[in-house]
Amino acid sequence: MKVRYTLSRSLVIDRSWPFFLDLTVAMGLLAGFYAVLQIARYWLSGPVPEVVISQSPRMLPLYAFYSVVRIGVAYLLSLLFAVGYGYVAAYHRRVETLMIATLDILQSIPVLSFLPGVMLAMMSLIPSRQLGIEFGAILLIFTGQVWNMAFSFYTSLKSIPRELHEACTINRFSRWQRFWQLELPYSTIGLVWNSMVSVAGGWFFLMVCEMFPVGNRNFRLPGLGSYLQTAASTGNSLAMIYGLSTMIAIIVLTDQLIWRPIIDWSDKFKFENVEAAERVTSPVLAALRQSNVLGILHQRTFAPFSEYIYHLISRRQQRHEAEDKVEKSKMSSTVIAVIFAVLIAGLICFAAFKAILLLRHIPGSDFGNLLAGAGATFFRVNVSLLFAAAWTIPAGVAIGFNPKLARIAQPLAQIAASFPATALFPVILLALMKLGAGLGIGSIVLMMLGTQWYILFNVIAGAMAIPSDLREVARLFHFTSMQRWTTVILPGIFPFLITGLVTASGGAWNASIIAEYFHLKDQTLHTLGLGAQISAASDSGNFPVLLLATIIMALMVVTINRLVWRPLYKLAETKYRLEG
């Protein structure tokens, strides 16, 4: 009797589990729909550029909701841009060098350099709605998220094994099929881990993007970043604790509900012949795979739609196999490319002319100060990059090779990467000043806090992407630690490592605006550096100096790109590409 009762009870639990799972999924979809309505109502309301930020804990759920929406929308825009930009740069050799140099410049230009123009442009485009101000803040967050994802996708496309391209050619895949069945899957692991560090970067710059001065105006948007900045400026320690606790809770929930399931799902795209013995698993993904609601949605919407798209592509490819049509398409694409190039050249010439008119009012003494500041910032960027690489490379390999360690270290790394270093920096700065060090050394510490995660997350992705059979061969032949690092680990992670170093370098230049010019209570601490000069020019509304400092930074980044990063990218593409 007791055995029958136990079996029947377990049967009831098993049958009720899908019902509760489907109910949870349905409630989540309804909550998402309600959130869209609420954010649309707020964005379409009248513009309020200077919101009074309450420090009451009761406002934290609403502020956190606004910040999560901004970061989420900025991430989606970043993903679309990264995939499109990386694809064009990887497969169009005529513009590849220019596009990568441009990408390297843009990811190194500080957020404050974009800030005045972006906010004024958005408010002018949509003057009667809050959407203009909100979209301006979203674009600023976008500038802190997108570049490393674009570099990651570009690097992945350039390192796809030749035999996979040949297989697609033999099977006559269209560009659409090649993209969905080869290029995007092969790039998934790198995109996932760079997405995590991009979202972490969005949290890092949230305090700058939600509350900032432009000339004589102070923009304040309701959000978690403005809440933390207000609490920090007023010295409200309790509000800081509430805000940081809320942010950490959001990061942990995001890790468990989004990133961990995506990492588990992306493991199937690893390029290997032997399945790994250990892998990262997600109970949330396992539960979602049992949902009847999601299964029905997939069978009746996504699957038929994808089949319809592939059918249309197949028919279109058959119609365009004639040689004359191919030639016409080539001619039309060439004409479009020429027209586009002429338009871009015209815009560049117009912008250069306007810049020359703006720069002619700068006194000669400012040029010397900016060059000296550029040299000081260049030194700090490279020192912070060296110190960051010294610990992130071994730590990232250890996490990537050990799924059990990854389950613990991944959320901790996300919290640490997302933690606004500007909130921790006053404590670090005061401690360094007591030891006799000033902002010059403290700025290196802050640069590391903001940029080391780019290297760590890319190294983790590279270590996870190394095929299990290569690691198994190294174990069977009893490779020493040095042999494993020189023949398996470093060659395997090299493309990912270069991506991490490039984006970390750009992040260090970007972080210089905060590291070298810091508001501490009622005083402003600054040191010699290009970042400090950009921050000071932005605060005072000195747009000519702001433009000149940005140009100098761009020229330095282009030089480094040509002399260092481009040869390393070429080496990763040729010598260290994984082949079957």
Side-chain angles (χ1 to χ4, degrees), residues 243-529:
L244 291 174
S245 300
T246 303
M247 188 191 72
I248 291 172
I250 293 172
I251 294 168
V252 172
L253 286 175
T254 305
D255 173 72
Q256 295 298 316
L257 299 179
I258 298 178
W259 296 128
R260 190 169 294 265
I262 291 177
I263 291 173
D264 184 5
W265 167 80
S266 67
D267 188 74
K268 66 181 181 179
F269 299 120
K270 183 185 293 187
F271 182 64
E272 59 183 4
N273 297 320
V274 179
E275 186 177 1
E278 294 184 63
R279 51 191 295 268
V280 177
T281 57
S282 169
V284 174
L285 181 62
L288 290 176
R289 284 170 172 163
Q290 300 178 18
S291 171
N292 294 324
V293 173
L294 294 179
I296 293 173
L297 284 175
H298 180 266
Q299 292 177 1
R300 297 188 178 181
T301 57
F302 298 115
F305 180 73
S306 61
E307 289 293 333
Y308 175 73
I309 293 296
Y310 281 129
H311 180 66
L312 287 180
I313 293 172
S314 177
R315 292 179 57 187
R316 183 181 178 184
Q317 186 176 359
Q318 291 176 0
R319 289 198 306 265
H320 288 78
E321 283 183 347
E323 188 67 25
D324 56 339
K325 292 185 179 180
V326 172
E327 291 297 328
K328 288 181 182 179
S329 65
K330 287 182 179 180
M331 291 178 61
S332 61
S333 63
T334 303
V335 172
I336 293 173
V338 170
I339 295 174
F340 182 75
V342 170
L343 290 176
I344 294 296
L347 290 174
I348 292 174
C349 293
F350 178 76
F353 176 72
K354 288 291 186 181
I356 292 173
L357 293 179
L358 192 62
L359 295 178
R360 64 179 180 176
H361 301 291
I362 300 177
S365 59
D366 286 348
F367 282 89
N369 294 332
L370 288 172
L371 290 177
T377 303
F378 175 77
F379 173 77
R380 296 189 188 103
V381 165
N382 286 281
V383 171
S384 64
L385 202 64
L386 182 63
F387 286 154
W391 80 268
T392 54
I393 293 176
V397 170
I399 295 172
F401 279 3
N402 192 335
K404 293 181 180 179
L405 179 61
R407 281 193 287 269
I408 301 172
Q410 176 203 328
L412 294 178
Q414 276 188 262
I415 293 173
S418 307
F419 193 89
T422 47
L424 184 63
F425 192 53
V427 179
I428 297 175
L429 185 58
L430 291 175
L432 290 172
M433 291 178 68
K434 287 183 178 180
L435 295 175
L439 189 62
I441 297 177
S443 58
I444 296 176
V445 177
L446 185 58
M447 286 181 183
M448 281 187 59
L449 291 175
T451 60
Q452 58 193 352
W453 312 111
Y454 292 104
I455 306 175
L456 178 65
F457 280 77
N458 273 282
V459 171
I460 293 174
M464 294 184 67
I466 294 177
S468 301
D469 43 354
L470 294 183
R471 294 163 54 186
E472 187 67 20
V473 168
R475 187 186 66 83
L476 290 175
F477 281 91
H478 303 288
F479 280 12
T480 64
S481 297
M482 181 61 68
Q483 288 174 323
R484 290 176 68 247
W485 274 92
T486 56
T487 60
V488 177
I489 297 175
L490 286 178
I493 68 171
F494 190 78
F496 296 86
L497 177 61
I498 297 304
T499 300
L501 289 172
V502 171
T503 52
S505 176
W509 283 102
N510 209 327
S512 66
I513 61 173
I514 304 173
E516 297 175 346
Y517 189 90
F518 194 80
H519 297 285
L520 185 62
K521 293 184 179 179
D522 297 330
Q523 58 179 333
T524 300
L525 303 177
H526 60 88
T527 185
L528 177 64

Side-chain angles (χ1 to χ4, degrees), residues 520-580:
L520 185 62
K521 293 184 179 179
D522 297 330
Q523 58 179 333
T524 300
L525 303 177
H526 60 88
T527 185
L528 177 64
L530 203 58
Q533 290 158 336
I534 288 175
S535 296
S538 178
D539 281 356
S540 61
N542 191 345
F543 297 118
V545 172
L546 178 64
L547 176 61
L548 180 58
T550 304
I551 291 174
I552 292 174
M553 184 176 289
L555 291 175
M556 294 184 67
V557 170
V558 168
T559 304
I560 298 170
N561 176 64
R562 297 297 299 174
L563 297 179
V564 180
W565 301 127
R566 287 305 302 162
L568 290 176
Y569 265 123
K570 194 67 177 177
L571 187 64
E573 178 187 345
T574 55
K575 186 175 181 179
Y576 295 113
R577 177 159 61 177
L578 186 66
E579 303 288 356

Side-chain angles (χ1 to χ4, degrees), residues 105-331:
I105 294 171
L106 291 175
Q107 63 116 12
S108 304
I109 295 176
V111 171
L112 287 182
S113 296
F114 293 105
L115 192 151
V118 168
M119 291 308 301
L120 295 176
M122 290 299 103
M123 290 186 65
S124 300
L125 287 175
I126 315 176
S128 60
R129 293 288 184 268
Q130 182 71 16
L131 178 62
I133 305 173
E134 289 289 332
F135 199 62
I138 288 170
L139 286 180
L140 291 175
I141 299 173
F142 166 88
T143 61
Q145 290 185 339
V146 64
W147 318 120
N148 60 297
M149 295 170 61
F151 271 117
S152 173
F153 189 69
Y154 165 79
T155 306
S156 297
L157 292 182
K158 299 296 286 187
S159 59
I160 293 177
R162 294 186 183 89
E163 63 267 21
L164 295 184
H165 280 299
E166 292 171 358
C168 292
T169 303
I170 293 172
N171 288 280
R172 301 172 67 185
F173 277 16
S174 64
R175 289 187 178 181
W176 184 262
Q177 289 173 309
R178 188 186 297 263
F179 174 77
W180 282 106
Q181 298 184 19
L182 171 62
E183 293 159 348
L184 193 59
Y186 190 86
S187 310
T188 297
I189 294 178
L191 272 179
V192 167
W193 285 92
N194 275 280
S195 295
M196 286 190 283
V197 75
S198 290
V199 173
W203 286 106
F204 181 85
F205 285 106
L206 192 65
M207 292 174 68
V208 178
C209 297
E210 289 186 346
M211 190 172 178
F212 47 84
V214 176
N216 57 356
R217 302 187 65 179
N218 289 312
F219 287 87
R220 290 190 299 271
L221 299 177
L224 196 54
S226 55
Y227 180 91
L228 287 170
Q229 189 167 345
T230 303
S233 60
T234 58
N236 191 339
S237 302
L238 188 60
M240 282 289 295
I241 293 173
Y242 284 137
L244 291 174
S245 300
T246 303
M247 188 191 72
I248 291 172
I250 293 172
I251 294 168
V252 172
L253 286 175
T254 305
D255 173 72
Q256 295 298 316
L257 299 179
I258 298 178
W259 296 128
R260 190 169 294 265
I262 291 177
I263 291 173
D264 184 5
W265 167 80
S266 67
D267 188 74
K268 66 181 181 179
F269 299 120
K270 183 185 293 187
F271 182 64
E272 59 183 4
N273 297 320
V274 179
E275 186 177 1
E278 294 184 63
R279 51 191 295 268
V280 177
T281 57
S282 169
V284 174
L285 181 62
L288 290 176
R289 284 170 172 163
Q290 300 178 18
S291 171
N292 294 324
V293 173
L294 294 179
I296 293 173
L297 284 175
H298 180 266
Q299 292 177 1
R300 297 188 178 181
T301 57
F302 298 115
F305 180 73
S306 61
E307 289 293 333
Y308 175 73
I309 293 296
Y310 281 129
H311 180 66
L312 287 180
I313 293 172
S314 177
R315 292 179 57 187
R316 183 181 178 184
Q317 186 176 359
Q318 291 176 0
R319 289 198 306 265
H320 288 78
E321 283 183 347
E323 188 67 25
D324 56 339
K325 292 185 179 180
V326 172
E327 291 297 328
K328 288 181 182 179
S329 65
K330 287 182 179 180
M331 291 178 61

